[in-house]
Amino acid sequence: MRKDGMPERLWPLKVQHDTLQQAFANCTALACPIMISVFDRSDGLGALEVVGWALWALSWLWESVADGQKQLFLMECKKQQTKMAVLGHAPYDGMKYCLWTLCRHPNYFGEWMAWNSFVLMALPCWARLQEPLFVKLGLLCTLCFTSRVFYDCLNYWTGAEPAEHFSAKKRKLYHDYQKSTRVFFPFELPFVDHCREPGWPHAE
């Protein structure tokens, strides 16, 4: 069993490597939107900043509901004394677990969108910065890169991929869930691999 040419026995090493990658991302790209906003000296909020705060609130609500649904699932599994059930897959696919039927990691999607809202709020602050052009261009590139870096963190480095590696091994029913449900986005997107592959992320 291999993933991207890596034997399964080396996956613990990959986990450590990916954890260090996320730590580096936290100290650089992911800190950039907050840093820019903190150094903004203007009073009040602009329209784009208000939209960013609203998006953050909705993202926080989405993530909180997803985490709450997961807690309900875990309580139900404990009550039923089962360890083979899959959240988002029958019989745990009703309205109480609706977000988990849209994608396999709705909590990660909510967290990602929260960081996108920080990027959105930072853009007006960036425009008002009184810094040399090369500094502003560097910060703008970092802002644009933030969304992709955090997506990779949540989907590949320390989020969905490592979690599904073990879930797919422990529960065969999880393969059916993977086949029918998107991994990250709760809606269809063109040119995006939604990883509807039984056994993802490793191929048999």
Side-chain angles (χ1 to χ4, degrees):
M1 192 176 296
R2 304 173 71 88
K3 167 63 179 173
D4 296 335
M6 177 178 288
E8 187 181 8
R9 62 184 174 81
L10 295 180
W11 267 68
L13 180 62
K14 181 184 188 302
V15 170
Q16 296 302 317
H17 171 263
D18 291 350
T19 301
L20 291 175
Q21 278 186 313
Q22 182 164 1
F24 177 76
N26 290 342
C27 296
T28 54
L30 299 183
C32 185
I34 307 300
M35 180 186 70
I36 293 174
S37 298
V38 166
F39 281 98
D40 184 32
R41 299 179 181 179
S42 65
D43 297 326
L45 297 174
L48 198 57
E49 291 162 300
V50 172
V51 171
W53 276 109
L55 178 61
W56 176 85
L58 291 173
S59 302
W60 176 85
L61 180 62
W62 176 283
E63 183 181 3
S64 298
V65 171
D67 286 337
Q69 291 180 352
K70 185 174 182 179
Q71 287 302 313
L72 287 175
F73 166 75
L74 293 175
M75 292 169 58
E76 186 65 22
C77 286
K78 185 176 182 180
K79 181 180 177 181
Q80 299 294 331
Q81 296 184 337
T82 178
K83 295 182 179 180
M84 294 296 105
V86 174
L87 176 57
H89 190 277
Y92 300 98
D93 57 349
M95 281 301 298
K96 288 197 301 183
Y97 314 107
C98 59
L99 296 187
W100 295 84
T101 65
L102 300 176
C103 61
R104 305 198 296 267
H105 301 279
N107 50 345
Y108 292 163
F109 176 76
E111 188 175 356
W112 180 67
M113 287 302 300
W115 278 97
N116 285 333
S117 70
F118 291 144
V119 172
L120 193 62
M121 286 185 277
L123 288 175
C125 304
W126 169 85
R128 291 190 292 262
L129 282 177
Q130 302 296 318
E131 297 292 343
L133 180 60
F134 76 93
V135 173
K136 293 190 69 173
L137 288 177
L139 290 173
L140 180 62
C141 289
T142 305
L143 277 179
C144 295
F145 195 52
T146 297
S147 182
R148 178 53 193 261
V149 166
F150 203 48
Y151 171 79
D152 286 342
C153 282
L154 292 173
N155 207 38
Y156 299 113
W157 299 351
T158 60
E161 187 176 275
E164 296 206 9
H165 167 72
F166 296 105
S167 293
K169 285 182 62 177
K170 293 178 181 178
R171 295 172 289 173
K172 291 300 181 182
L173 190 61
Y174 200 83
H175 289 202
D176 297 334
Y177 182 50
Q178 289 177 312
K179 190 175 181 180
S180 63
T181 311
R182 294 172 288 268
V183 64
F184 188 81
F185 292 100
F187 41 77
E188 289 295 326
L189 287 173
F191 312 113
V192 172
D193 181 8
H194 292 291
C195 303
R196 291 192 184 95
E197 304 168 17
W200 185 85
H202 44 71
E204 298 180 355

